Amino acid sequence: MSETRRSRLVPEVDFDRDGRQHGFVRLFHSVHSSAYGFIPIPIVVLRNGEGPTALFVSGNHGDEYEGQVALCNLIRTLDHTAIKGRVIILPMANFPAGMAGRRTSPIDDGNLNRSFPGNPDGTVTQQIAFWIESGLLPLADIIVDLHSGGSSLSYVPTVLAKLSGDPVRDAAQMAALTAFAAPVAYLTGGGNGTGADHTLSGGAERLGKIWLGTELAGAGTVTPAALKIAERGLRNTLVHVGILPEADRVPGPGRTRVVEVAGADYFTYAPDSGVFEPVAELGDEVAAGQLAGRVHFPETPWAPPVEFHFQRAGLVLCKRIPGRTARGD
Ligand code: ZN
């Protein structure tokens, strides 16, 4: 079988038309309450003549809100006559998850950012992944996928990228990373079981596209500080690729500090189930072997807590939020 597999999703917008368009990508989903209905995934396309294309995505995880707010604000404030080229904005990529305020879809429990390259005949989440990878990523010269820690995690607000070992591509990745002008950036090398092939950024890599991710804070909310970093970064990304003029660049607070998350030993996990007492805070500088936290057992309060330690020295970049914790969190 060599027939080309096609997405069943139908965008209401025309990606090649000049001007400002908004509408929905229709994901037909026949269910008890709606025999011929579709799931309406919102999309905005701004185009003004020939030029590069930027693709901005949020709501890949539905409980990560900073990117969703930043893109709502950008959609309402970006003048399509002021750009050169095209900006495609998909602010609720996993729409069912976004509406539920959950990391994963309530329809199929699908984690969109573990579902790439997707499947046109698969679950709702797999169909979204397939459409993004086959229908959207090929249009883009640069892709920014806005994440944050979500409900269970918080980050020092960061922009991130992954290097490939190809010097030309990596120079382009680093230039985009620093143009974002976040105070902290990091280079990801995995180690948290993400399985990069199954992420949106994995799709971008398969297509040879320059991409940035973010981790904009989290804890299931939005902070003004993280939002400011996101909004500045998006504008600066448009300037960086030439969609907006240099005069629109928003200066950052100084040089971006670039750190590295290179492997499994950069993460520290709960060794037991109980109540998590963090001993370090986000943004702290810590030493290898330093106490990271304790797990307490209030149901057996006379039992000593279990302590766990950082394996590496460095900056505390992310932290679990809920106090109740299970072994492996
Ligand atoms: Zn995420």
Side-chain angles (χ1 to χ4, degrees):
M1 286 256 299
S2 63
E3 86 186 71
T4 308
R5 301 204 307 165
R6 286 183 183 279
S7 173
R8 299 190 218 169
L9 277 64
V10 181
E12 295 176 352
V13 292
D14 176 353
F15 293 105
D16 296 323
R17 194 201 300 164
D18 270 350
R20 179 188 189 88
Q21 302 171 74
H22 60 250
F24 301 97
V25 181
R26 299 181 177 188
L27 195 171
F28 288 93
H29 187 52
S30 179
V31 290
H32 177 75
S33 58
S34 186
Y36 297 163
F38 63 85
I39 294 170
I41 305 170
I43 189 164
V44 174
V45 181
L46 308 176
R47 187 176 184 275
N48 188 21
E50 296 303 315
T53 294
L55 169 64
F56 294 159
V57 177
S58 64
N60 184 335
H61 290 133
D63 63 340
E64 299 172 3
Y65 302 111
E66 299 89 338
Q68 297 182 48
V69 173
L71 290 183
C72 286
N73 288 339
L74 184 71
I75 286 165
R76 286 180 291 96
T77 55
L78 187 60
D79 175 4
H80 72 272
T81 63
I83 67 170
K84 181 171 166 286
R86 182 168 56 176
V87 183
I88 302 172
I89 303 175
L90 190 71
M92 265 180 125
N94 194 347
F95 177 81
M99 290 303 288
R102 295 180 60 82
R103 180 172 180 82
T104 54
S105 173
I107 296 174
D108 54 20
D109 212 26
N111 181 338
L112 179 58
N113 217 34
R114 304 291 183 274
S115 301
F116 287 83
N119 179 353
D121 305 313
T123 64
V124 164
T125 306
Q126 290 167 345
Q127 290 185 51
I128 295 172
F130 184 86
W131 175 73
I132 291 174
E133 178 148 346
S134 64
L136 217 44
L137 298 186
L139 303 177
D141 297 295
I142 189 162
I143 296 147
V144 183
D145 187 21
L146 297 157
H147 289 257
S148 64
S151 306
S152 69
L153 193 67
S154 193
Y155 265 87
V156 173
T158 47
V159 60
L160 66 109
K162 185 176 163 196
L163 299 185
S164 64
D166 169 359
V168 175
R169 178 179 166 78
D170 288 350
Q173 279 288 164
M174 286 305 294
L177 188 78
T178 50
F180 202 86
V184 181
Y186 80 88
L187 297 173
T188 174
N192 61 349
T194 298
D197 288 356
H198 300 296
T199 63
L200 191 155
S201 58
E205 282 181 20
R206 274 188 286 279
L207 293 163
K209 305 291 184 174
I210 299 299
W211 66 270
L212 298 174
T214 64
E215 293 292 358
L216 288 164
T221 188
V222 178
T223 65
L227 190 59
K228 185 176 175 187
I229 290 168
E231 293 186 333
R232 177 174 63 214
L234 292 169
R235 292 267 168 187
N236 287 349
T237 299
L238 295 177
V239 173
H240 178 68
V241 297
I243 293 175
L244 283 177
E246 186 59 38
D248 284 350
R249 190 182 295 276
V250 186
R255 264 192 62 174
T256 297
R257 174 179 176 183
V258 182
V259 299
E260 185 181 51
V261 181
D265 61 350
Y266 285 62
F267 295 86
T268 298
Y269 294 93
D272 211 331
S273 301
V275 174
F276 168 40
E277 176 203 355
V279 172
E281 198 39 276
L282 283 175
D284 283 358
E285 298 286 344
V286 297
Q290 184 175 326
L291 184 65
R294 302 182 182 92
V295 176
H296 293 268
F297 312 103
E299 72 280 20
T300 318
W302 47 85
V306 177
E307 298 190 329
F308 53 99
H309 302 83
F310 294 108
Q311 296 178 69
R312 283 182 165 270
L315 176 75
V316 179
L317 200 61
C318 67
K319 172 192 161 186
R320 176 180 174 78
I321 292 301
R324 270 317 292 192
T325 192
R327 180 179 294 143
D329 286 338

